[in-house]
Every structure is written in C-alpha cells, then in structure tokens.
Amino acid sequence: MEKNKTHPCFSESGHLKYARMHLPVAPECNIQCNYCNRKFDCLNESRPGVTSEILTPQQAFEKFVLVKQKISDLSVIGFAGPGDALENFDKIKETVALIKQNDPDIIFCLSTNGLRLPEFAQEIIDIGITHITVTINAVDVEIGKLIYSGVNSEFLLKNQLEGLEYITKRGIVCKVNIVAIKGINDFHIEEVVKTAKKLGAFKTNIMPLIPAKETKFYDLPLMSSMELNELRKKCSVYLPQMYHCRQCRADAVGLLHHDRSNEFISKN
Ligand code: CLF
Ligand code: SF4
C-alpha cells in the first residue's frame, strides 16, 4: 500500500508525477474476448490499432536501462500484453529477475485476464510483483458467454475469482478492470464491482469498449463519457473508481497523459 503513492494508476495524484513503462514481452493469449482483434494490442489495457513491438526479456531489460536514464520519475514496470501476461509467465519472470538486479526498488505491475491466476498466484508474489490488475467483465456465466469465445466462461470466472481472492489475502494490491459494453454487460457492472470488493480488490477501473475492426463487437453502440462517469459514480459506493485511465498501449512509456513510447522503439 505504501508503494501506491508512486504508482500512477493506483494513486489518485501519482499519475501527475510518476511514470510507468510497459514492457511488451507477452505476445500470446489464452482466450478470445469478442472485442479483441489480435492483430492489435490487448484491449484490456491498450488502444486498438497500435501494434507494439515484441521484446525478449534481454531486450526488455536493455530498454529499461535506457528509459531509466532518461525518465527520472520512472516508478513502475508494467506487463500489459499485447497478449496475456500469465500465458507468457516465463518471459515475465526472466524480465523481472534481470531488472531487479539493476533496480531492487522499482514497482512491478502485471495485468491479466485471470485464466491462469490460481496457477501462478504464489509465484507472482514470490518474485516480488506487488500490483496486479485482473480484468473481469462479468460475474455471471451467461453474460460471460456473450463476451468470451475460445474458453469455458464458467472455468474462466472461477479462476478469476479464486485467483483474485488468493492474492489480495496475501497483501497484493489489486485493481479490477471492467470493459463496459453497452447492451452486453453495462447493466451488470455494479455486480462485478460488488464482487471485486468482497474479494479484496483495492479499486475498480471501468473502461469503455473501444470497437476493434473484424470483431463481434465492432458495431456495438459507444458509451458516452457522461454515461461512463455516471456508472463509475454509482459504483464508487462500493470501491474507489479510476477516472484517469488512458487505455494504454502495451509498450507505453512515460506519464499517463504524456506517452513517449515513440522515442524508445527498439531498433532491433
Ligand atoms: Fe500498466 Fe496497468 Fe500496471 Fe498501470 S496501465 S499494467 S495498472 S502500470 Fe493504468 Fe494504463 Fe489504465 Fe492500465 S492507465 S490502461 S490502468
Ligand atoms: Fe485480446 Fe487481451 Fe482478451 Fe486476450 S485477454 S483476447 S489479448 S483483449
């Protein structure tokens, strides 16, 4: 919790001063969200239409060293795709180990769809990742079936909830991201937030669907910022809400409101 003060996503004001860097070492995913086109980045944490470079753990380490020299307020290393971090957990572990040797104080943050969270929860804790985001778009299996393909929704939900409870009980700071999809789960989001609270989440981040081409949800109506903020306000009765999310790219670098990823694209 002490580290929250310097985490741009977990703190209310930290995003004005502290920078994060996403290291795109995780290309594979293990589910299919119906709003995701895998030609692009993971929509749970990214803008669509931006294809990130994929780095090996060694390349990611070298990028970290370079960026740290140029951005003194770099406080967080995040793993946010472009696939699912836990489907590529060996690469995450290797990257964390390399960076930790160089900087033992940096905060490590990981974002996942939660399918493999129970399997890796203890290892996540053991290697020193302190902040986790789990994207949970529904706590009702039937609604989940409308949102996900290529996975058993019941199994996904079970793992998301079990994994979330396991890590919050052991002191990991957790945020639950929810993609608000009009007509599909928007009326159900309050239930997701209530469940996140019950399982020990620190805050929730309700994000609007960004329609990606060639996906089932491409033609769905958009949620206005007013509708989104009303939903967040309603849910703030249960848990603090995030209002400053930028739906970052998988290789984002810098302050949330000032992306500098272009300056650091690898030449490899
Ligand atoms: Fe990255 Fe996500 Fe960690 Fe932040 S982003 S892995 S928690 S360090 Fe932040 Fe970007 Fe919103 Fe994510 S603004 S998309 S909530
Ligand atoms: Fe796409 Fe991310 Fe969903 Fe995987 S978890 S299908 S990468 S949005």
Side-chain angles (χ1 to χ4, degrees), residues 24-25 51-55 63 82 249 251 261 264-268:
V25 295
T51 310
S52 312
E53 57 182 351
I54 305 297
L55 301 178
K63 184 169 181 177
R249 331 161 24 119
D251 60 355
S261 50
F264 300 102
I265 298 289
S266 151
K267 304 285 184 294
N268 292 312

Side-chain angles (χ1 to χ4, degrees), residues 27 54 57 69 71-72 92 97 180 197 253 256:
I54 305 297
Q69 284 165 2
I71 301 183
S72 58
I92 306 281
K197 179 186 170 69
V253 178
L256 294 189

Side-chain angles (χ1 to χ4, degrees), residues 57-103:
Q58 182 61 33
Q59 288 168 333
F61 170 67
E62 286 162 17
K63 184 169 181 177
F64 163 75
V65 172
L66 177 74
V67 171
K68 198 180 137 187
Q69 284 165 2
K70 305 234 169 153
I71 301 183
S72 58
D73 285 326
L74 179 70
S75 64
V76 175
I77 293 299
F79 300 101
D84 187 72
L86 296 185
E87 189 60 21
N88 304 263
F89 194 50
D90 282 348
K91 290 177 185 155
I92 306 281
K93 280 193 291 189
E94 211 181 319
T95 311
V96 168
L98 287 167
I99 293 176
K100 254 185 153 178
Q101 283 175 8
N102 178 286
D103 184 346

Side-chain angles (χ1 to χ4, degrees), residues 11 40 45 89 152 165 197 258:
S11 141
F40 307 128
E45 290 275 336
F89 194 50
N152 178 316
E165 186 170 31
K197 179 186 170 69
H258 181 214

Side-chain angles (χ1 to χ4, degrees), residues 164-175:
L164 179 62
E165 186 170 31
Y166 187 96
I167 52 178
T168 58
K169 280 200 169 147
R170 286 157 184 83
I172 299 298
V173 193
C174 284
K175 170 164 71 59

Side-chain angles (χ1 to χ4, degrees), residues 31-35 136-157 160 181 183-185 187-188 216-217:
I31 66 173
Q32 177 63 61
C33 302
N34 289 336
Y35 46 73
I136 305 178
N137 296 321
V139 291
D140 176 293
V141 173
E142 293 309 312
I143 298 175
K145 280 182 191 166
L146 302 174
I147 300 173
Y148 304 108
S149 315
V151 66
N152 178 316
S153 296
E154 198 172 345
F155 183 63
L156 173 64
L157 179 59
Q160 289 171 328
I181 312 160
I184 302 286
N185 73 344
F187 54 88
H188 169 70
K216 274 194 189 168
F217 290 167

